[in-house]
Amino acid sequence: MTATPLAERHQKTGAILSSGSALPDHYGDVRAEYEAIRRGAAVIDLSPAGKLEVSGKNAVQFINGLVTNDVKSLAVGAGLLAAFLNVQGKLVAMSRIYKLGERLLLELDALNREKVYQNLNRFTLAGDFFLRDLTEQQALVSLQGPRAAELLEALTGEAIPAQPQYQIHQRQMAQVKLLIAAHSRSGEPGFDLFIPAEAAPRLWELILEKGQPLGARAVGQAALDIARLEAGIPREGVDVTEANILLEAGYEKAVSYSKGCYLGQEVIARIHWQGQPAKQLRGLLVEAETLPPPGTAIYATDGKKAGQMVGTVTSSTHSPALDRIIALGYVHRYYLAPGTAFILKQGESELGRAQLQELPFIGQVQAATDE
């Protein structure tokens, strides 16, 4: 479990930690935290996220040969979403990749930090590039919400656009140099702040203080999970895992079909040019008494496979915006039309009904695939 330099701050505010995580699940009022995402500015600690720096003459060429998107095309200050795959085209890790002059910054889900680092480290002796793990040297604080840009301008003295996604800027906040990347994680305008770890506690307090008139508050993982589900954003290790081919999860915009070779390219290209995956991640509007847990079976009610299992639920929540249960799940390609009806079951027990919904459920900035 990777620590966060903000642990003492969270402890002082009575934060309840997520199971198996150093990060707060909530600060005592999940609904108020959710409202900060949707109406104000949520201040979210994501510091355990992996932060890897690749530098040297061959850094771009090296990473470009390993990931699905075209890193060679990046201008300085730009970024993109890309995936590391295995030879079967299944996901190893998603990564936001930023070009910072002569170096690249890779931001990864904490779940995949060590795995990707060890994989890249195997090649360092063979090429003219260098690899550093900056995870413990940099905090990652995300601002999410309609007033996030306004708050950032008040803190830095400069306007920072929320679009395009993954544009990255070097700024100063209270005489501290930091990197700020546009990244919506919630369906609202959003920014990721890469902050020197030693300065993180002081800047965390400053952000909350400056943001108070704008509806800013510290927000935990529980409220963020509700918002990302409403926005149809899959979560690694939950909605997309090493069992999934990349395109099943809808990550088309993480793929370049004109770049050179990378591991898993043959599978991805074949699916893209010849049709579609056998199953795809979709949204479900659920009618049930309780949240369908991960692994809940999705059964067809009509068509060729009526009465047969045609998918599985990966995650679910109660949406405050829609006042109903919503879920993400993989559904067979024959049943992807919006409005298609399903029965949800656990074993032989029926849990409820569901209807296929186009993503996102709500949110205009962020679509289903973290684009």
Side-chain angles (χ1 to χ4, degrees):
M1 182 172 68
T2 304
T4 166
L6 295 164
E8 187 177 335
R9 289 294 188 278
H10 301 324
Q11 187 177 14
K12 285 182 177 178
T13 55
I16 305 300
L17 298 187
S18 300
S19 176
S21 171
L23 297 176
D25 186 63
H26 61 86
Y27 296 85
D29 191 337
V30 175
R31 182 57 187 262
E33 294 170 36
Y34 168 84
E35 292 297 332
I37 296 175
R38 292 288 178 235
R39 301 179 187 278
V43 187
I44 308 166
D45 183 13
L46 298 174
S47 294
K51 296 168 281 285
L52 307 181
E53 179 189 86
V54 184
S55 60
K57 185 172 65 176
N58 292 332
V60 170
Q61 180 180 343
F62 168 59
I63 295 298
N64 195 63
L66 294 176
V67 300
T68 55
N69 218 337
D70 187 4
V71 180
K72 281 187 174 181
S73 69
L74 282 180
V76 173
L80 50 70
L81 182 69
F84 292 90
L85 306 179
N86 64 21
V87 69
Q88 289 85 29
K90 294 184 177 181
L91 182 69
V92 174
M94 298 302 301
S95 179
R96 274 64 56 187
I97 302 176
Y98 302 100
K99 188 169 184 182
L100 306 171
E102 298 301 314
R103 60 194 174 100
L104 297 173
L105 175 63
L106 280 62
E107 185 262 307
L108 308 134
D109 191 284
L111 181 72
N112 300 316
R113 163 204 175 187
E114 186 64 23
K115 176 171 56 180
V116 173
Y117 177 79
Q118 293 299 337
N119 183 44
L120 297 181
N121 196 47
R122 294 186 298 120
F123 299 101
T124 53
L125 295 178
D128 191 5
F129 57 87
F130 307 94
L131 174 66
R132 288 203 302 158
D133 188 345
L134 304 177
T135 303
E136 295 184 2
Q137 298 174 36
Q138 292 185 344
L140 176 54
V141 174
S142 192
L143 304 184
Q144 301 288 316
R147 307 197 75 176
E150 189 178 351
L151 174 55
L152 269 183
E153 185 172 1
L155 289 161
T156 65
E158 299 181 69
I160 301 173
Q163 292 289 348
Q165 284 273 73
Y166 312 121
Q167 199 75 22
I168 192 164
H169 311 266
Q170 185 169 303
R171 293 289 187 267
Q172 284 197 25
M173 186 184 298
Q175 285 76 55
V176 176
K177 290 183 179 179
L178 68 159
L179 295 168
I180 301 174
H183 182 192
S184 174
R185 297 175 179 266
S186 62
E188 305 290 346
F191 303 88
D192 287 346
L193 282 59
F194 297 87
I195 302 170
E198 65 275 9
R202 178 165 62 93
L203 293 192
W204 175 267
E205 296 294 348
L206 177 64
I207 292 167
L208 289 172
E209 179 185 343
K210 200 81 168 179
Q212 192 172 3
L214 303 176
R217 67 183 298 152
V219 168
Q221 300 300 298
L224 178 59
D225 200 52
I226 294 170
R228 69 94 188 163
L229 264 163
E230 290 180 334
I233 300 172
R235 180 178 174 185
E236 284 182 76
V238 176
D239 303 298
V240 56
T241 70
E242 291 183 346
N244 297 117
I245 294 172
L246 180 68
L247 298 183
E248 293 176 347
Y251 283 113
E252 280 281 352
K253 291 191 176 182
V255 180
S256 167
Y257 294 100
S258 59
K259 61 167 283 184
C261 294
Y262 58 86
L263 197 65
Q265 181 190 33
E266 185 177 338
V267 174
I268 300 301
R270 183 170 65 248
I271 292 173
H272 175 75
W273 297 114
Q274 294 183 3
Q276 59 181 345
K279 59 183 179 181
Q280 293 184 40
L281 192 68
R282 286 294 188 271
L284 299 166
L285 296 173
V286 177
E287 295 178 12
E289 293 297 320
T290 59
L291 299 180
T296 296
I298 301 171
Y299 281 78
T301 59
D302 56 23
K304 292 181 180 180
K305 294 182 177 289
Q308 297 182 43
M309 180 177 167
V310 293
T312 54
V313 171
T314 58
S315 60
S316 63
T317 192
H318 182 272
S319 165
L322 302 177
D323 193 24
R324 65 180 304 170
I325 296 172
I326 59 173
L328 295 180
Y330 286 95
V331 179
H332 192 282
R333 62 184 177 184
Y334 293 164
Y335 292 87
L336 299 178
T340 301
F342 303 104
I343 294 173
L344 303 180
K345 290 185 178 182
Q346 264 199 315
E348 296 301 314
S349 301
E350 183 175 323
L351 296 184
R353 301 266 170 164
Q355 185 180 82
L356 193 136
Q357 169 80 19
E358 289 283 3
L359 295 172
F361 294 103
I362 69 168
Q364 297 179 2
V365 173
Q366 188 65 50
T369 54
D370 194 14
E371 53 181 283

